[in-house]
Amino acid sequence: MRVFVSTPVRGNVQENLRLAQRITLWLLKYGYSPVCPHCITLTVGLDDSNEYDREIGMDYALELLSVCDRMIVVRKPDGSISEGCQMELDAALDIPYYIVTWEEAEQRFTI
């Protein structure tokens, strides 16, 4: 099962990427096929603070989302859903999704 991982990127980019990587690793170890676009886009050098790079990254994410079976969405630490995560949720259409708080993600997705 392909599971799309949607976490905030902007703000504390390194901390956000670290959580996305933890969720991705957890999914891999439990037999899922994680799809985490910003684990790829940020490590190859796209800069989310650059609007052109962000557009490339979001287009890439939305294309990958279209082939996924499930979606995990992580709220920002303040409890809100980031702009990028909301765009992904809006595009999810009929893909079942699970929304977790930042704290739940930190506790649940540990190896």
Side-chain angles (χ1 to χ4, degrees):
M1 178 180 305
R2 293 175 303 255
V3 180
F4 189 90
V5 178
S6 178
T7 64
V9 174
R10 289 185 172 172
N12 187 338
V13 175
Q14 292 307 313
E15 184 70 13
N16 295 340
L17 182 58
R18 182 193 61 75
L19 181 60
Q21 290 169 331
R22 280 182 49 194
I23 295 169
T24 298
L25 178 60
W26 187 93
L27 289 167
L28 277 170
K29 290 195 173 193
Y30 283 92
Y32 296 95
S33 297
V35 176
C36 186
H38 56 273
C39 284
I40 298 169
T41 59
L42 293 176
T43 58
V44 298
L46 287 182
D47 178 0
D48 195 66
S49 66
N50 174 295
E51 286 305 314
Y52 178 72
D53 282 4
R54 181 171 173 76
E55 185 177 331
I56 291 170
M58 285 303 302
D59 287 348
Y60 176 67
L62 296 177
E63 185 168 330
L64 289 175
L65 176 60
S66 70
V67 299
C68 290
D69 307 300
R70 298 280 187 277
M71 180 178 183
I72 294 172
V73 180
V74 178
R75 293 181 181 275
K76 296 188 319 186
D78 69 5
S80 64
I81 293 179
S82 73
E83 177 186 343
C85 290
Q86 187 61 55
M87 289 173 65
E88 292 162 348
L89 270 170
D90 292 345
L93 301 174
D94 295 328
I95 299 171
Y97 58 86
Y98 179 60
I99 300 177
V100 297
T101 66
W102 185 272
E103 293 79 21
E104 288 173 316
E106 289 260 307
Q107 293 171 1
R108 176 175 289 223
F109 299 105
T110 58
I111 301 297

